[in-house]
Amino acid sequence: MDIRQNILLIDGIAASCAGVAVISSTNWLQGLYQLPEALLVSMALINLSYAVYSLSLSMIKNRSMIAIIVLVVANSIWVINCLRLTFHYADSASLFGVFHLVGEAFFVGTLAYLEWKWRGHLTKKRI
């Protein structure tokens, strides 16, 4: 299996799973992470919105380069935001909360890197 063929699907599924998991367990995660409920809900909703875009792109046969670049830029902005949140809440968040923010930044950053690296492949016409 060529992961390049499925990276957008993997990206969208990961974002949707993260969004659903956080939104469905916000109260529990708030206690575990020691992060504000509003932050967790907003992160979940952003993940779900992002999932819609990524999954939509995964179903398009003839993707534009601009659509892929928008995806990479969105991922990159999210990485910066997760790291910003890590520093902002470093004193009040639990170790689990910090690990979640850093882990999400690392995972999404890896996706951004791969999608940028494979942007040519992702925009080729497929039958």
Side-chain angles (χ1 to χ4, degrees):
M1 174 174 87
D2 185 2
I3 193 170
R4 294 178 302 175
Q5 293 292 106
N6 298 306
I7 192 72
L8 298 176
L9 184 61
I10 292 166
D11 193 353
I13 290 171
S16 61
C17 288
V20 168
V22 171
I23 203 81
S24 65
S25 56
T26 301
N27 290 335
W28 181 74
L29 288 174
Q30 182 184 10
L32 180 66
Y33 290 172
Q34 296 299 302
L35 292 170
E37 179 181 8
L39 174 64
L40 293 173
V41 170
S42 65
M43 288 177 68
L45 294 176
I46 290 167
N47 273 299
L48 291 171
S49 299
Y50 177 83
V52 169
Y53 184 69
S54 185
L55 290 171
S56 297
L57 276 182
S58 75
M59 293 184 266
I60 296 172
K61 289 185 181 182
N62 300 316
R63 297 178 206 106
S64 71
M65 182 63 74
I66 290 180
I68 298 301
I69 291 171
V70 166
L71 184 73
V72 171
V73 168
N75 271 340
S76 300
I77 290 170
W78 191 243
V79 168
I80 292 167
N81 187 57
C82 285
L83 294 175
R84 180 189 67 81
L85 291 170
T86 301
F87 288 112
H88 181 76
Y89 289 105
D91 292 338
S92 58
S94 71
L95 196 55
F96 292 112
V98 170
F99 282 159
H100 176 97
L101 293 169
V102 171
E104 188 160 342
F106 178 77
F107 183 77
V108 173
T110 300
L111 289 169
Y113 168 77
L114 293 174
E115 289 160 352
W116 178 254
K117 180 180 176 181
W118 297 333
R119 66 191 180 279
H121 178 79
L122 292 171
T123 57
K124 289 182 182 173
K125 293 183 179 183
R126 289 164 300 287
I127 298 176

